[in-house]
Amino acid sequence: MVALRTGILEQADETRRKDPNASIEIYKQILSQEGTSEDVLREKETALTHLGEVYRDLKKPNDLAELIRSSKDFMTSIAKAKTAKIIRTLIDQFSEIPDSLPLQIDVCKETIDWSVQEKRIYLKQSLETRLVALYLDNKMYTEALNLISSLLKELKRLDDKMVLVEVQLLESRVCHALRNLPKSRAALTSARTNANSIYCPPLLQAALDMQSGILHAEEKDYKTAYSYFYEMLEGYSSQDDSRAVLALKYMLLCKIMLNLTEDVHSIINGKLALRYMGPEVEAMKAVANAHQNRSLLEFENALAAYPNELNNDPIIRSQLAALYDTLLEQNLVRIIEPFSRVEIDHIAQMVKLPTPQVETKLSQMILDKVFYGILDQGAGCLIVFDDPVEDKTFGMAIETVKQMEKVVESLYEKAAKLS
């Protein structure tokens, strides 16, 4: 009987390779079998996981959700640790299905309610941690912080430091997304402190390094950020994780922001980076070349040629926006330097940007005192002034008044003693 069942599972796996749709019924047949022997339960576990993968590959989120709901009765018949692993695996399958995030959140909430009814505390905490990450991906920051608050109280009471580190790391990411950098740093410090007191898995350690690097990059400390991203690359690379290429991109970004373009090329040609060559690395190389040549046109061409690689990541997007702004300022200052009066249209032609954009940037630079001048919008000209020479008369006058004040106070004290 065992051999027969094993044959059905092998048949399902073979059918899945040729025709995934046809394998669904075979997997369902395995799941409908009766019996509580160890072999039957093990086979059902495998079939359940494989059927979830089929629904993921076929992009069928509703069928995947129904599979999780209908398998709860079976889950009660197997070990709690296995249940937690299978449910987390099934819920994670949604991640590779486009536009399935709201459904994934709903299924996660339903399963949390079920785990509370079944008094499966470990599963509940694991799913709530996953739900916080889903809230973060869906930009539901208020819901994420509320759930984090209740989770932290429970985890601290139970002293479950492994999950505690994950939740504190998520808290840091949520606060960073809300631009509350002090609280984000505090949460990350707590996470790293707890991580130092336990064995921290390589992937979790790499995630901590990534968040540390991101926060240092926000503070413009790119040298320290680079060292964290390097640790992140080694962590993900040792586990063959696809996020290693993201670490490499962040490393290259730090070198670009430090104006060390030569280092960018040496990293790209290095042994470790050669494993991850592709559009992601080529995009950063194009940005580095544009920055080295101080060419806005090359910079914009790079952004247009690699929109997914450069615009989808909020960290890279924000840093490149600052870099573009700096590059634009440098180009404008270099162009207007020889002139005392110059047409705005001429400046726009030189930098190959729309006139209104150039005019807005010039007015901002004047307000920021990058240079001194005024915009004559009637004539469409920029009038540049010489840097004002500081008049020391006012400073000397104030200093004289201060000294006179001391003299008067001294005379007043002496007069008081005589009387």
Side-chain angles (χ1 to χ4, degrees):
M1 192 67 179
V2 174
L4 177 61
R5 282 195 295 268
T6 305
I8 295 175
L9 185 58
E10 289 178 353
Q11 179 189 349
D13 292 340
E14 183 65 29
T15 305
R16 175 187 168 190
R17 286 188 283 271
K18 297 177 181 177
D19 184 3
N21 282 298
S23 68
I24 293 175
E25 289 303 321
I26 306 176
Y27 283 126
K28 286 182 176 180
Q29 180 185 344
I30 297 171
L31 291 172
S32 64
Q33 291 179 102
E34 296 183 359
T36 56
S37 69
E38 187 177 340
D39 292 324
V40 172
L41 293 178
R42 189 185 302 114
E43 194 170 87
K44 284 186 175 183
E45 291 170 25
T46 305
L48 187 61
T49 305
H50 288 187
L51 184 54
E53 292 171 356
V54 171
Y55 286 143
R56 175 201 66 194
D57 296 338
L58 294 176
K59 308 293 188 253
K60 292 186 174 182
N62 292 320
D63 291 336
L64 180 56
E66 187 56 38
L67 175 65
I68 295 172
R69 294 182 183 118
S70 62
S71 63
K72 288 173 183 174
D73 290 337
F74 165 68
M75 296 294 183
T76 57
S77 63
I78 61 176
K80 292 183 178 181
K82 285 186 178 179
T83 300
K85 183 178 179 181
I86 292 173
I87 288 180
R88 277 293 298 264
T89 301
L90 290 173
I91 289 177
D92 287 345
Q93 305 294 4
F94 282 101
S95 303
E96 298 184 34
I97 304 177
D99 305 320
S100 64
L101 190 55
L103 179 60
Q104 189 177 5
I105 291 174
D106 291 339
V107 172
C108 200
K109 286 180 178 178
E110 293 172 13
T111 314
I112 289 170
D113 293 338
W114 174 79
S115 64
V116 172
Q117 293 172 6
E118 295 292 323
K119 297 181 180 179
R120 302 196 175 200
I121 303 302
Y122 172 76
L123 176 59
K124 169 184 168 292
Q125 292 172 352
S126 178
L127 289 173
E128 284 181 338
T129 304
R130 178 65 181 146
L131 184 58
V132 171
L134 294 175
Y135 280 151
L136 176 60
D137 292 340
N138 207 32
K139 299 181 180 178
M140 300 167 67
Y141 303 127
T142 303
E143 292 84 347
L145 288 175
N146 290 337
L147 184 53
I148 285 170
S149 179
S150 62
L151 251 179
L152 287 176
K153 290 178 184 176
E154 188 174 338
L155 293 169
K156 287 176 182 177
R157 188 175 67 251
L158 297 173
D159 199 30
D160 189 345
K161 289 192 175 179
M162 182 65 74
V163 184
L164 186 61
V165 170
E166 292 184 37
V167 175
Q168 287 172 330
L169 175 58
L170 285 168
E171 182 184 17
S172 177
R173 291 177 59 199
V174 172
C175 292
H176 174 254
L178 290 169
R179 309 305 300 166
N180 189 344
L181 297 184
K183 194 165 184 181
S184 179
R185 281 192 293 271
L188 180 61
T189 301
S190 299
R192 295 192 78 93
T193 302
N194 286 315
N196 289 336
S197 63
I198 58 172
Y199 168 72
C200 191
L203 290 180
L204 181 57
Q205 184 61 53
L208 289 169
D209 290 332
M210 177 172 73
Q211 186 65 11
S212 297
I214 288 171
L215 291 180
H216 279 286
E218 290 282 5
E219 297 169 350
K220 312 299 182 188
D221 184 4
Y222 297 111
K223 191 173 181 179
T224 306
Y226 176 85
S227 64
Y228 277 115
F229 290 141
Y230 184 80
E231 294 292 334
M232 171 190 169
L233 175 62
E234 288 194 325
Y236 284 137
S237 180
S238 66
Q239 301 297 309
D240 291 326
D241 193 284
S242 59
R243 287 170 288 184
V245 70
L246 183 62
L248 180 59
K249 284 176 68 178
Y250 288 165
M251 286 169 58
L252 297 175
L253 177 67
C254 290
K255 289 298 184 182
I256 292 170
M257 300 303 290
L258 288 168
N259 199 22
L260 299 173
T261 312
E262 291 181 2
D263 289 357
V264 171
H265 296 294
S266 63
I267 292 170
I268 290 174
N269 296 323
K271 184 178 179 181
L272 191 58
L274 288 175
R275 294 171 56 187
Y276 305 104
M277 289 302 292
E280 305 279 354
V281 176
E282 290 296 330
M284 299 308 296
K285 186 177 179 180
V287 171
N289 290 333
H291 181 53
Q292 184 179 29
N293 298 332
R294 301 194 180 280
S295 171
L296 284 171
L297 182 61
E298 288 183 30
F299 199 104
E300 291 191 330
N301 288 340
L303 293 175
Y306 302 98
N308 295 327
E309 291 78 7
L310 299 177
N311 293 325
N312 286 350
D313 188 318
I315 308 302
I316 290 179
R317 186 171 63 243
S318 65
Q319 296 295 334
L320 290 185
L323 182 65
Y324 178 85
D325 201 52
T326 303
L327 197 58
L328 178 57
E329 280 192 10
Q330 290 174 350
N331 274 263
L332 290 175
V333 168
R334 190 175 70 238
I335 290 170
I336 66 177
E337 190 174 12
F339 299 100
S340 60
R341 183 184 180 93
V342 58
E343 291 184 351
I344 299 173
D345 286 339
H346 174 70
I347 300 173
Q349 288 174 8
M350 294 288 287
V351 294
K352 297 181 174 61
L353 288 175
T355 301
Q357 182 181 343
V358 172
E359 187 175 337
T360 302
K361 184 60 184 175
L362 287 171
S363 63
Q364 179 190 333
M365 290 169 68
I366 292 171
L367 291 172
D368 292 341
K369 297 184 178 179
V370 177
F371 67 91
Y372 293 87
I374 59 170
L375 289 170
D376 186 345
Q377 292 180 308
C381 290
L382 169 69
I383 302 172
V384 184
F385 302 145
D386 293 331
D387 290 349
V389 179
E390 184 180 357
D391 190 345
K392 297 181 180 180
T393 305
F394 297 106
M396 293 170 65
I398 291 172
E399 185 62 29
T400 303
V401 170
K402 286 181 180 178
Q403 296 300 327
M404 287 296 296
E405 183 182 8
K406 292 178 182 178
V407 171
V408 171
E409 287 179 355
S410 176
L411 291 172
Y412 179 78
E413 291 173 359
K414 288 180 180 181
K417 289 178 182 179
L418 290 174
S419 62

